Amino acid sequence: MTTRAGFVALIGEPNAGKSTLTNQMVGAKVSIVTHKVQTTRARIRGVALEGDSQLVFVDTPGLFRPRRRLDRAMVAAAWGGAADADVIVLMVEAHRGITEGVEVILDRLKEIGEGRKIALAINKIDRVKSEVLLALTKNLNDRFPFMDTFMISAEKGHGCDTLRKWLAQELPEGPWLYPEDQIADLPMRMIAAEMTREKLTLRLHQELPYQLTVETEHWEERKDGSARVDQIIYVMRDGHKGIVLGNKGETVKAVSKAAREELTEFLGRKVHLFLQVKVRPNWLEESERYSEMGLDFKDGNA
Ligand SMILES: Nc1nc2c(ncn2[C@@H]2O[C@H](COP(=O)(O)OP(=O)(O)OP(=O)(O)O)[C@@H](O)[C@H]2O)c(=O)[nH]1
Ligand SMILES: [Mg+2]
């Protein structure tokens, strides 16, 4: 039997649906998803199987014009994921079309694309009429020589089987890279921290989700089979701490409950989750915060 295996990097603007597609391909939630931009901060690997091929999807942070150190490190992580991949899939939102951000990405792809396998996935086709899709497909292919174009709905699963089958046969021959039953390549403590950050992002408004980070401080396996997980939510100001806690602690309680339920389901056993909020005005400039997120601090140098 000839097996194939390799990396498929999903790149695109923030909110394009990269994490949704990763989860759809893996068949489990390995990467967090919100309706807000810049949800994913580091590269998240999710593993899928198709016939004799093992596809390692590399979900990346959205590509945008970075301002802060964290933004720069995120964008560098995304292009780094693309550089290492066997196949790159550019995801574009059907209803937004060719934005300025997409133009910037296409220009960069032209620079690095020589000899690379690059495909186009127009996502969220459930939101537009088919005429729009045909015009967009033509316009994008006029601007860049994509190997192939796929019209998908990452959320609803439309077109995803076709895309997965195509990707599977484009990967190089070789032994599988992960054990057959492995679906993610991220330490459990990071997955757990991401789950909490997702719940925070969904509940908090405006800039606050972009000014906090979550770390798993302690993980204890208990004799009764349950896990005790202690996490810290780092915020930048006292005022932010108050907002995260909420009136009588109700916000952090709701976040904790939602994150605990998700983690319990993921692990298939009981979880005790304890969240603590700490003010750390300068966390965006601390290298340890970046390594905890799976980012390279130096990538953020201006
Ligand atoms: N209607 C529709 N919505 C979708 C589809 N795919 C993703 N979404 C929604 O788009 C939003 C963003 O999805 P994500 O998967 O978080 O996008 P992302 O590209 O990972 O975003 P960043 O991590 O911020 O770069 C979420 O609200 C998803 O539910 C789709 O096929 N159709
Ligand atoms: Mg994402």
Side-chain angles (χ1 to χ4, degrees), residues 10-23 31-42 59-64 74 91 93 95 122-127 152-158 160 197-198 202 210:
L10 304 178
I11 65 165
E13 285 193 281
N15 237 2
K18 302 174 292 296
S19 302
T20 306
L21 183 61
T22 301
N23 295 338
S31 193
I32 64 172
V33 169
T34 79
H35 57 289
K36 297 185 184 166
V37 295
Q38 297 165 35
T39 298
T40 307
R41 286 183 177 168
D59 181 19
T60 64
L63 296 163
F64 59 104
M74 283 162 55
M91 293 184 70
E93 284 173 282
H95 61 289
I122 300 181
N123 188 31
K124 310 195 185 182
I125 56 167
D126 52 292
R127 295 190 59 166
I152 65 168
S153 169
E155 195 167 70
K156 301 195 179 345
H158 303 316
C160 292
R197 194 165 63 78
E198 181 191 83
L202 291 171
Y210 306 104

Side-chain angles (χ1 to χ4, degrees), residues 144-195:
F144 189 86
F146 292 106
M147 280 182 79
D148 218 330
T149 301
F150 299 86
M151 300 186 195
I152 65 168
S153 169
E155 195 167 70
K156 301 195 179 345
H158 303 316
C160 292
D161 285 345
T162 312
L163 174 57
R164 187 169 47 230
K165 288 201 172 74
W166 182 83
L167 289 167
Q169 44 102 25
E170 290 301 331
L171 293 180
E173 286 182 9
W176 287 1
L177 302 162
Y178 293 92
E180 196 174 341
D181 55 357
Q182 186 166 345
I183 58 166
D185 180 10
L186 197 67
M188 208 42 238
R189 46 202 298 281
M190 274 200 201
I191 294 181
E194 285 287 272
M195 286 175 179

Side-chain angles (χ1 to χ4, degrees), residues 27-183:
K29 184 164 163 185
V30 295
S31 193
I32 64 172
V33 169
T34 79
H35 57 289
K36 297 185 184 166
V37 295
Q38 297 165 35
T39 298
T40 307
R41 286 183 177 168
R43 289 190 293 257
I44 312 278
R45 287 177 182 173
V47 189
L49 298 176
E50 174 64 47
D52 299 331
S53 300
Q54 186 177 58
L55 300 89
V56 184
F57 284 92
V58 185
D59 181 19
T60 64
L63 296 163
F64 59 104
R65 192 179 299 151
R67 288 178 298 128
R68 310 175 297 172
R69 175 183 281 276
L70 175 60
D71 303 341
R72 290 190 293 272
M74 283 162 55
V75 170
W79 283 116
D84 295 342
D86 296 291
V87 186
I88 299 171
V89 178
L90 170 65
M91 293 184 70
V92 172
E93 284 173 282
H95 61 289
R96 294 186 66 225
I98 305 177
T99 59
E100 207 185 310
V102 169
E103 301 266 17
V104 171
I105 297 171
L106 290 174
D107 285 342
R108 179 79 184 260
L109 281 179
K110 280 175 201 152
E111 286 167 28
I112 66 160
E114 190 76 44
R116 305 289 308 274
K117 295 185 173 185
I118 304 176
L120 172 67
I122 300 181
N123 188 31
K124 310 195 185 182
I125 56 167
D126 52 292
R127 295 190 59 166
V128 298
K129 295 213 170 73
S130 53
E131 304 91 81
V132 176
L133 288 175
L134 294 177
L136 183 58
T137 302
K138 184 175 181 314
N139 280 340
L140 281 161
N141 279 279
D142 284 346
R143 281 165 212 241
F144 189 86
F146 292 106
M147 280 182 79
D148 218 330
T149 301
F150 299 86
M151 300 186 195
I152 65 168
S153 169
E155 195 167 70
K156 301 195 179 345
H158 303 316
C160 292
D161 285 345
T162 312
L163 174 57
R164 187 169 47 230
K165 288 201 172 74
W166 182 83
L167 289 167
Q169 44 102 25
E170 290 301 331
L171 293 180
E173 286 182 9
W176 287 1
L177 302 162
Y178 293 92
E180 196 174 341
D181 55 357
Q182 186 166 345
I183 58 166

